[in-house]
Structure formats: C-alpha cells, structure tokens
Amino acid sequence: MVKLYIKQKVFSIGDKYNIFNEEGQTVFTVQSEIFTFGAKIHLYDATGSEVYYIEQKLFRFLPEYHIYSGNTLCAIIKKEFTFFTPRLTITSQFGDYTFEGNLFGMDFTILCNGMVIGELHKAWLSWGDSYELIVNTDDDVPLFCALAIAIDNCIHNENRR
C-alpha cells in the first residue's frame, strides 16, 4: 500500500501541485498550461520527465478528461449524472475503474470490478486543495496520481466556474 499527499501551490499562475510520499519527498509535480481552452495538465516525475498529460474535452454535456502517455491515450474519465454523490468512470488500458464520492465530494473510493483498490481524501480545511491518495499496488501510483488531479479539476474546479 502506498500513501501519497497531493498539495496545491496556492500563489501560482495556473494550477501547480506537488505530490509527496510519507517521508515528505517530492515524487511528482503537476503543472497546468495557462491561457488554454479547457484544462491541459502535465504530470512529471521527480527527474522532470513527463509521465502523463491530462486534457479536458470541451463541448461535452458532462465533464470528460483524457489522459495520455506521450501520444498514447491511456485513460478516459467521464463524470456520470448523479443526484447526490459524485461518480466517475474511468476506461483505461490498465483496466476499468470507478471513483465513487461521498455526499460532499471530499472522499472517494477507487473500485475495480467492484473491489476497493484505493482511496482519495480531500482535506476539509487547507490552504489550496490537498489530498491523501492511498493506492493498494505500487504499479498504479503514477496513473492514480493523474486520475486524482483530473478528478480535482473535474469535481472542484468545475464547481467554481
């Protein structure tokens, strides 16, 4: 099991995040492009190499995001129409996942074929967006970091617009 902490940089142009491990070391950094239509976000590893690129698809009834590794489409995130709790479905080359949120969209359970494989918890009182990401397998860590950033953008940034 891997625990990571996602912390948004507050006073920056565009969205910027650092993703830390339990020892406080930066594992990934996230940088959004500015002056674009729709979100365009890059996830970099500790060496500065791009791991994933997240792009918001425009002109959709419900929010949709695509995640790329290089030029390869790796995952599609779609927000489902629900009345009380947010729910997102992810179709990816690694498997199909569901993120189910609580009433306030602060806590998510990550499911694969009905089995819990991780959790995403948003901090209630924090300066900027902060999350705790728990992933049960080491292999999925970069993908779930990209999914967490896309979900933050989809759920919380969409609500601000």
Side-chain angles (χ1 to χ4, degrees), residues 32-112:
S32 71
E33 294 179 17
I34 55 173
F35 307 120
T36 62
F37 292 106
K40 293 179 179 16
I41 306 165
H42 302 270
L43 176 75
Y44 301 101
D45 64 14
T47 66
S49 300
E50 184 177 271
V51 181
Y52 288 110
Y53 167 68
I54 305 162
E55 181 178 34
Q56 178 185 12
K57 293 300 178 181
L58 300 175
F59 309 112
R60 305 289 200 270
F61 177 67
L62 293 171
E64 181 176 320
Y65 291 78
H66 290 192
I67 298 177
Y68 297 90
S69 178
N71 292 327
T72 305
L73 178 62
C74 297
I76 298 172
I77 302 167
K78 292 183 179 182
K79 185 176 181 186
E80 292 184 13
F81 181 76
T82 57
F83 284 107
F84 297 109
T85 59
R87 181 181 168 101
L88 298 106
T89 56
I90 294 98
T91 306
S92 80
Q93 66 185 34
F94 309 106
D96 296 338
Y97 306 98
T98 303
F99 275 61
E100 292 182 352
N102 67 352
L103 181 62
F104 301 106
M106 302 295 277
D107 295 301
F108 288 86
T109 303
I110 306 166
L111 303 162
C112 182

Side-chain angles (χ1 to χ4, degrees), residues 3-7 18-28:
K3 277 188 183 182
L4 295 172
Y5 302 94
I6 303 168
K7 180 74 175 138
N18 284 326
I19 302 175
F20 304 97
N21 61 16
E22 289 183 281
E23 291 79 40
Q25 300 163 325
T26 302
V27 182
F28 299 104

